[in-house]
Amino acid sequence: MDKLISSWYKDQSLPESLQIPFTCKTWQASCSKVQHRAGNLSHDRTLVVQQILKASQEFGFFQVINHGVSEDLMNDTMNVFKEFFELPAEDKADLYSEEFNRPCKLYTSSANYDGDKVHLWRDSLRHPCHPLEECIKIWPQKPTRYREIVAAYSIEAKKLGSRILDLISEGLGLDLGYFGDKLSESVVISVNHYPPCPDPSLTLGIAKHCDPSLLTILLQGDVFGLQVLNDGKWIGVEPLHNAFVVNIGHQLEVVSNNRLKGAEHRVVTNSTVARTTAAIFLNPSEDCIVEPAKS
Ligand code: OGA
Ligand code: NI
């Protein structure tokens, strides 16, 4: 529990164990701030399908606006996650775990703290969201509205994910509902909290990775930090108010036989404001065979 960055960052300078062992002084300055919008889901469907396909092939990432998830629910969700990380340590102690497989857990850096070469500047809360009736019982009980709000949010995020997957299946020429069943059955949320960092040039919030999901739906809030690798250059994903950032995961790369791209991305830190984000991972169920679509 004492390892959580939120527990100590105000009292000490940046420990060496969190310093990335190469110079990265320019990683914020060098990243161009480009945004790629997939468009409005209520516009002409064919156009949206084309835009999503194009963004998924070129960038592996896009942002969606006018997605139908209410602004109030998005704000309540973000606020309850921020409140969670602000809770006194004793209210979170039971959830803290370094056990790799614990289903609902609060941890720091990565799921494998002892195996990390360098620790990351983030605390994270992760738990499954589906089937709701079963997994809600292991979710945090504080803040008091956590379960109610996150339940509503995870249902909406899964619905949005399914709509986007339908548009993607249309674009790939697959049957409608191709991704609807086993391929997107598992839903996991990962809530990331990146406190202000004394020297952002020496740390990363999350190191370069590609999501192992089918599709990821990220609520990134209003604070910048996410960068996507494109053609050897890091592109900043500028926060758009009330937008979701959507990215293609490894599983979708496989099903699409590499037509869609799971792009590498990372998170940089900043020295002024805390950043909280929530990634919903739609994953294939464990008993599901993932292979390039036959058609
Ligand atoms: C992730 C991730 C990005 C962010 O959780 O896999 O890439 O901005 N998060 O927090
Ligand atoms: Ni990611």
Side-chain angles (χ1 to χ4, degrees):
M1 185 77 184
D2 293 345
K3 288 181 187 156
L4 288 177
I5 294 165
S6 345
S7 317
W8 55 259
Y9 78 99
K10 286 187 184 128
D11 311 318
Q12 67 177 81
S13 58
L14 191 70
E16 234 171 76
S17 61
L18 277 98
Q19 298 186 15
I20 309 283
F22 52 84
T23 176
C24 44
K25 295 266 184 261
T26 56
W27 61 26
Q28 277 167 320
S30 69
C31 111
S32 54
K33 306 268 173 84
V34 177
Q35 66 197 30
H36 196 87
R37 295 187 192 200
N40 176 343
L41 289 187
S42 67
H43 276 175
D44 176 41
R45 188 176 170 98
T46 314
L47 183 65
V48 176
V49 168
Q50 280 170 6
Q51 288 177 315
I52 289 183
L53 259 273
K54 185 164 187 284
S56 304
Q57 285 164 340
E58 273 178 39
F59 295 92
F61 267 81
F62 52 88
Q63 303 212 46
V64 285
I65 55 171
N66 300 326
H67 37 64
V69 181
S70 89
E71 189 168 340
D72 283 350
L73 182 58
M74 292 174 81
N75 288 338
D76 285 352
T77 305
M78 185 50 96
N79 288 336
V80 88
F81 289 146
K82 288 182 182 164
E83 282 163 30
F84 172 83
F85 283 101
E86 282 160 11
L87 287 172
E90 61 265 27
D91 288 339
K92 293 179 288 199
D94 284 353
L95 291 166
Y96 182 81
S97 174
E98 292 178 29
E99 238 176 273
F100 191 79
N101 279 328
R102 181 146 152 201
C104 177
K105 66 172 183 175
L106 172 65
Y107 60 98
T108 190
S109 189
S110 80
N112 181 14
Y113 187 89
D114 289 333
D116 286 348
K117 283 201 201 89
V118 176
H119 297 311
L120 300 169
W121 191 268
R122 73 138 177 197
D123 295 336
S124 182
L125 169 70
R126 174 184 283 253
H127 61 68
C129 297
H130 186 82
L132 190 57
E133 316 74 62
E134 265 172 49
C135 56
I136 198 166
K137 297 177 209 146
I138 59 167
W139 292 4
Q141 282 176 293
K142 286 188 184 170
T144 41
R145 292 190 67 208
Y146 185 95
R147 292 184 176 183
E148 176 197 338
I149 291 171
V150 179
Y153 178 74
S154 61
I155 290 169
E156 287 302 305
K158 179 159 166 52
K159 267 198 234 157
L160 174 64
S162 302
R163 284 167 68 204
I164 293 171
L165 286 167
D166 278 344
L167 296 168
I168 289 176
S169 60
E170 193 173 322
L172 291 173
L174 300 173
D175 295 340
L176 196 69
Y178 190 89
F179 297 106
D181 192 16
K182 293 269 177 201
L183 279 170
S184 60
E185 190 177 272
S186 146
V187 183
V188 174
I189 194 163
S190 172
V191 187
N192 301 299
H193 181 68
Y194 312 95
C197 172
D199 191 344
S201 72
L202 297 176
T203 54
L204 280 172
I206 305 185
K208 181 171 88 170
H209 70 286
C210 182
D211 293 351
S213 60
L214 180 76
L215 192 76
T216 303
I217 301 187
L218 179 79
L219 179 63
Q220 79 157 337
D222 296 323
V223 182
F224 173 75
L226 175 62
Q227 298 178 338
V228 177
L229 195 59
N230 185 259
D231 255 348
K233 286 206 191 82
W234 287 103
I235 297 177
V237 181
E238 202 59 24
L240 285 180
H241 194 58
N242 283 325
F244 286 101
V245 177
V246 178
N247 63 290
I248 307 299
H250 269 318
Q251 314 294 332
L252 192 44
E253 201 173 84
V254 171
V255 178
S256 72
N257 202 17
N258 280 334
R259 268 185 71 191
L260 308 185
K261 176 171 123 172
E264 287 180 311
H265 52 286
R266 68 182 184 187
V267 176
V268 296
T269 61
N270 79 77
S271 59
T272 50
V273 280
R275 179 169 184 264
T276 303
T277 68
I280 292 252
F281 301 114
L282 302 184
N283 301 316
S285 65
E286 276 175 21
D287 58 352
C288 171
I289 292 172
V290 179
E291 59 188 352
K294 297 257 176 349
S295 59

